[in-house]
Amino acid sequence: MIGSKIRQLRLNKSMTLSELAAKTQTTPGYISQLERDMVDPSLSTLRKVALALEAPIFTFLEENDRQSAVVYANNRQKIELPDTNVVYEFLTPMGSGQVASSNFLLLYHKLNPGSWSSEESVSHNAEECIYVLKGSLDIMVGGKVYSIDEG
């Protein structure tokens, strides 16, 4: 499922396996296996693929058809990243098979105490707003670490 979406976006960009491999610091063989769903990518690799293909990471993980204009708490589309405890819930409607169904997306993301969403620095071409509901969070922006608390 993830693989076919990666392949389609790669082909849409007229990118070869070797070009995508170079941009993601992997091998053409690995990208080929990934596209054929023979291997599950790590979160780190999936982020690199998303960056290289200029697509939001959730593009590869969504499965449902277009949702209605209203997203209810008990019917949120969820994305669970392979081999992690990371779960994203969409607070805005998502459509299947699109790079993004909107220019504005809201995600709910719960982190367990002492955990993190990525071991490495990640950048992407999007604006973000982080609102902490409970606890505190350290984020890095432009090489500087900010500690944010509830509210």
Side-chain angles (χ1 to χ4, degrees), residues 66-144:
R66 179 173 284 284
Q67 297 177 352
S68 71
V70 177
V71 178
Y72 296 97
N74 64 346
N75 198 27
R76 291 179 188 154
Q77 184 172 347
K78 295 180 182 179
I79 293 176
E80 298 183 43
L81 300 175
D83 300 323
T84 71
N85 64 351
V86 177
V87 178
Y88 293 102
E89 293 183 24
F90 286 88
L91 304 179
T92 49
M94 287 299 306
S96 182
Q98 303 172 9
V99 172
S101 61
S102 171
N103 289 330
F104 180 74
L105 298 172
L106 288 176
L107 298 168
Y108 174 82
H109 179 159
K110 181 178 180 181
L111 290 173
N112 293 328
S115 66
W116 55 88
S117 64
S118 177
E119 291 184 16
E120 60 187 56
S121 179
V122 177
S123 67
H124 54 93
N125 190 18
E127 293 186 37
E128 288 191 15
C129 172
I130 298 173
Y131 186 86
V132 177
L133 296 173
K134 183 177 180 182
S136 62
L137 181 69
D138 290 336
I139 61 170
M140 183 181 290
V141 179
K144 184 175 178 184

Side-chain angles (χ1 to χ4, degrees), residues 30-73:
Y30 177 79
I31 298 296
S32 175
Q33 289 179 340
L34 186 59
E35 289 185 352
R36 291 179 287 144
D37 291 314
M38 297 176 69
V39 294
D40 288 325
S42 67
L43 176 57
S44 173
T45 299
L46 198 55
R47 287 179 196 240
K48 289 176 184 177
V49 168
L51 183 62
L53 294 175
E54 300 173 335
I57 194 169
F58 59 78
T59 301
F60 307 115
L61 303 169
E62 63 179 346
E63 296 178 8
N64 298 339
D65 292 330
R66 179 173 284 284
Q67 297 177 352
S68 71
V70 177
V71 178
Y72 296 97

Side-chain angles (χ1 to χ4, degrees), residues 2-47:
I2 291 174
S4 62
K5 291 178 183 181
I6 291 172
R7 178 178 169 77
Q8 188 60 50
L9 276 174
R10 179 180 62 78
L11 293 175
N12 288 349
K13 293 193 170 289
S14 301
M15 190 180 293
T16 67
L17 288 171
S18 295
E19 289 169 334
L20 182 55
K23 288 185 176 195
T24 57
Q25 300 169 344
T26 61
T27 66
Y30 177 79
I31 298 296
S32 175
Q33 289 179 340
L34 186 59
E35 289 185 352
R36 291 179 287 144
D37 291 314
M38 297 176 69
V39 294
D40 288 325
S42 67
L43 176 57
S44 173
T45 299
L46 198 55
R47 287 179 196 240

